[in-house]
Amino acid sequence: MDKARETLSGCELFAGLSADALELLAGAAASRGVSTGATLFGEGSPRQACYVIVEGQAEIFRTRGGEPEPLAVFGPGDALGEGALLHESLHTATARALTDLTAVELGREAVRGRLATNGGAAVEVLSRVALFINRRLSYASSGPVGRDKAYGSGATRTERDMLGEREVPAEALFGVQTLRAVENFPISGVHLSHFPTLVRALAMVKQAAARANLQLGLLDPHVASAIDRASQEIVDGHHHGHFVVDAVQGGAGTSTNMNANEVIANRALELMGAARGEYTYCHPNNHVNLSQSTNDVYPSAIRIAAVFSLRALVTALDKLRAELAAKGEEFQDVVKMGRTQLQDAVPMTLGQEFTAFAVTTGEDIARLGETARLFLELNMGGTAIGTGINADPRYPQLVIEHLRRITGLDVVLAENLVEATPDTGAFVMFSGVLKRTAVKLSKMCNDLRLLSSGPRCGLAEINLPPVQPGSSIMPGKVNPVIPEVVNQVAFQVVGNDLTITMAAEAGQLQLNVMEPVIAFNLFQSLQMLTAAVSTLTSRCIRGITANAERCREMVDRSIGLVTAVVPVLGYEKASEIAQEALESGRSVREIILARGLLSADDLDELLSPGAMTRSRPLGRSDRRS
């Protein structure tokens, strides 16, 4: 019990509780060991216990589109699942051990049973849990945080900058410059925390800078260590809710950089035992931003974040490609009419159609990967305009080496930092490939909508899985809502690409100040495309079925079938047959047999699926017109 009491008192959630309250909690505690990869709790399972990690690490993730979306990493002293102590509900995420770990388990029923014996302790514990959850939610949502949430407790601290003093929310990790940016840019309502890969990338850049500055002897080891640890916490998914600046902002990203500097500085101060805002010990500009400028930090972070974000899109696209290829195999014997210009063309198989979708998706994956390599060239160390002012000559290469280790990416230093600082060409090229991917996905979805049109009065060659009723007035109607939403996402990506193009063109002299809107549109495109592709795969492609009889019926009725006999009868004779079929309503097969142009066996051979849906050798003996 003594060990449990010591662990609980050192946990942020329960630190400062009275001896009676800690005694009650410790009495309900049990030790639990969890092996690497095992779960503490799963998404959708009942909340039954709160866990305080003693040793090891756990990852919290949520499943979206069949893929785990990492949220945060927790270590010794962190509490997970604290909501179980308040009420019965279902977990909205999964906690999985990243390493072998030991945790103190506080079972819901055991805790509540012991708290029932001491009303004062119960109020103390449950109030602490409620406040802890409220504080976490206030700074964990991707929706508007702003001053209303930040000032929720009413407590403030005084901070000052070149424009004067301001009262900053006491609970906020951000500072006065972030506060001014929140006031100045109420533009999109989409804050930096909406793009977690960008927030993580910013922290990685700051972590690399701190390590390089420490190596150069420019940072006190105690300060450098605190900045490093604070940055790692952000990389692990913590404190993202304090990144409250609107993603669309003036100032070429300075507000974003200062938001990161202030959050890291204030968290570093806490780790050093100082109070938030005591910048004498760790200053946002003098220490966290040492050897840096927004003009090298911000574009480098965007590039790193784009590479990380692309991984999720490529994973989603590869799953789509695999499902399309599987449908190609499944439908390989389903003969149907191919169409050009919405008119009957020549027969093919439904499998060939879906295999073509798979191949084109694979091409998109390859092109995205090729173009993303442009993002591995960074201008770190160039500072304001690429000349490297206020940075040690050794710093650029050192910070790149640290970034390479931190990110796991093969980042390199740009050959000419003056050229690289205002250059946004990589964003234009990558956005263009994103647009290409979106356009091709949209075309595929157009095809799916046409092929599934009906069910009685359209093509009806395939059936899309029904996912929701389609009309508030027409009973029984089911719409192709998943392809429709992918179409709309594609339209947004096309528009985003135009914005990125115009923003890149608007750069002037030694800097492009329009990078915030480039970042906003780039990450919106990546996020929306990833979600759309995952949804298309799981809620549409996987459940498609073929109407084989309907497909064959249309082949038999089609005038386009006559193309298969051209090598034997010649173009003019085939044209006569086609015209007669069109005017009389009789089938091509029926007319050929009635005219005695071919025997039934010869016709069967020419109109067989194998002959109609793939190439075969031709010779002069085939021409009998």
Side-chain angles (χ1 to χ4, degrees), residues 10 64 200 240 294 360 381 420 425 490:
R64 288 194 176 177
R200 286 185 166 97
H240 284 209
T294 294
T360 199

PDB file of all heavy atoms in Angstrom, residues 10 64 200 240 294 360 381 420 425 490:
ATOM      1  N   GLY A  10       2.573  11.114  -6.429  1.00  0.00           N
ATOM      2  CA  GLY A  10       3.462  11.707  -7.412  1.00  0.00           C
ATOM      3  C   GLY A  10       2.829  11.895  -8.771  1.00  0.00           C
ATOM      4  O   GLY A  10       3.461  12.425  -9.689  1.00  0.00           O
ATOM      5  N   ARG A  64      -9.562   5.244 -37.123  1.00  0.00           N
ATOM      6  CA  ARG A  64     -10.302   6.003 -38.131  1.00  0.00           C
ATOM      7  C   ARG A  64     -10.043   5.383 -39.493  1.00  0.00           C
ATOM      8  O   ARG A  64      -8.888   5.219 -39.887  1.00  0.00           O
ATOM      9  CB  ARG A  64      -9.873   7.471 -38.141  1.00  0.00           C
ATOM     10  CG  ARG A  64     -10.364   8.246 -36.937  1.00  0.00           C
ATOM     11  CD  ARG A  64     -10.217   9.737 -37.126  1.00  0.00           C
ATOM     12  NE  ARG A  64     -10.779  10.471 -36.017  1.00  0.00           N
ATOM     13  CZ  ARG A  64     -10.739  11.796 -35.887  1.00  0.00           C
ATOM     14  NH1 ARG A  64     -10.135  12.514 -36.816  1.00  0.00           N
ATOM     15  NH2 ARG A  64     -11.284  12.403 -34.858  1.00  0.00           N
ATOM     16  N   ARG A 200       3.667  18.441 -34.069  1.00  0.00           N
ATOM     17  CA  ARG A 200       4.774  17.529 -33.741  1.00  0.00           C
ATOM     18  C   ARG A 200       6.054  17.925 -34.488  1.00  0.00           C
ATOM     19  O   ARG A 200       7.157  17.879 -33.929  1.00  0.00           O
ATOM     20  CB  ARG A 200       4.389  16.089 -34.090  1.00  0.00           C
ATOM     21  CG  ARG A 200       3.389  15.460 -33.129  1.00  0.00           C
ATOM     22  CD  ARG A 200       3.159  13.984 -33.477  1.00  0.00           C
ATOM     23  NE  ARG A 200       2.472  13.280 -32.419  1.00  0.00           N
ATOM     24  CZ  ARG A 200       1.159  13.053 -32.387  1.00  0.00           C
ATOM     25  NH1 ARG A 200       0.406  13.469 -33.390  1.00  0.00           N
ATOM     26  NH2 ARG A 200       0.598  12.414 -31.375  1.00  0.00           N
ATOM     27  N   HIS A 240      -1.007  19.742 -27.140  1.00  0.00           N
ATOM     28  CA  HIS A 240      -1.385  20.259 -28.464  1.00  0.00           C
ATOM     29  C   HIS A 240      -2.486  21.303 -28.371  1.00  0.00           C
ATOM     30  O   HIS A 240      -2.564  22.195 -29.219  1.00  0.00           O
ATOM     31  CB  HIS A 240      -1.828  19.107 -29.368  1.00  0.00           C
ATOM     32  CG  HIS A 240      -0.701  18.279 -29.887  1.00  0.00           C
ATOM     33  ND1 HIS A 240      -0.747  17.604 -31.085  1.00  0.00           N
ATOM     34  CD2 HIS A 240       0.534  18.017 -29.368  1.00  0.00           C
ATOM     35  CE1 HIS A 240       0.386  16.955 -31.275  1.00  0.00           C
ATOM     36  NE2 HIS A 240       1.175  17.183 -30.244  1.00  0.00           N
ATOM     37  N   THR A 294      11.699  32.373 -37.700  1.00  0.00           N
ATOM     38  CA  THR A 294      10.478  31.777 -38.258  1.00  0.00           C
ATOM     39  C   THR A 294      10.714  31.321 -39.690  1.00  0.00           C
ATOM     40  O   THR A 294      10.176  30.300 -40.134  1.00  0.00           O
ATOM     41  CB  THR A 294       9.332  32.809 -38.240  1.00  0.00           C
ATOM     42  OG1 THR A 294       8.996  33.106 -36.875  1.00  0.00           O
ATOM     43  CG2 THR A 294       8.091  32.277 -38.956  1.00  0.00           C
ATOM     44  N   THR A 360      -4.101   2.384 -61.708  1.00  0.00           N
ATOM     45  CA  THR A 360      -3.977   3.847 -61.691  1.00  0.00           C
ATOM     46  C   THR A 360      -3.780   4.359 -60.269  1.00  0.00           C
ATOM     47  O   THR A 360      -3.073   5.344 -60.046  1.00  0.00           O
ATOM     48  CB  THR A 360      -5.205   4.507 -62.355  1.00  0.00           C
ATOM     49  OG1 THR A 360      -4.870   5.852 -62.716  1.00  0.00           O
ATOM     50  CG2 THR A 360      -6.426   4.529 -61.456  1.00  0.00           C
ATOM     51  N   GLY A 381      19.025  26.937 -40.386  1.00  0.00           N
ATOM     52  CA  GLY A 381      20.293  27.645 -40.237  1.00  0.00           C
ATOM     53  C   GLY A 381      20.392  28.868 -41.106  1.00  0.00           C
ATOM     54  O   GLY A 381      21.303  29.677 -40.944  1.00  0.00           O
ATOM     55  N   ALA A 420      16.776  28.897 -51.004  1.00  0.00           N
ATOM     56  CA  ALA A 420      15.796  27.969 -50.423  1.00  0.00           C
ATOM     57  C   ALA A 420      14.782  28.672 -49.529  1.00  0.00           C
ATOM     58  O   ALA A 420      13.639  28.219 -49.411  1.00  0.00           O
ATOM     59  CB  ALA A 420      16.525  26.887 -49.629  1.00  0.00           C
ATOM     60  N   GLY A 425       8.463  26.209 -54.463  1.00  0.00           N
ATOM     61  CA  GLY A 425       8.183  25.374 -55.628  1.00  0.00           C
ATOM     62  C   GLY A 425       7.807  23.949 -55.271  1.00  0.00           C
ATOM     63  O   GLY A 425       6.980  23.319 -55.947  1.00  0.00           O
ATOM     64  N   ALA A 490     -12.562  15.865 -53.680  1.00  0.00           N
ATOM     65  CA  ALA A 490     -11.706  16.154 -54.840  1.00  0.00           C
ATOM     66  C   ALA A 490     -11.864  17.598 -55.288  1.00  0.00           C
ATOM     67  O   ALA A 490     -10.871  18.272 -55.619  1.00  0.00           O
ATOM     68  CB  ALA A 490     -12.041  15.205 -55.991  1.00  0.00           C
TER      69      ALA A 490
END
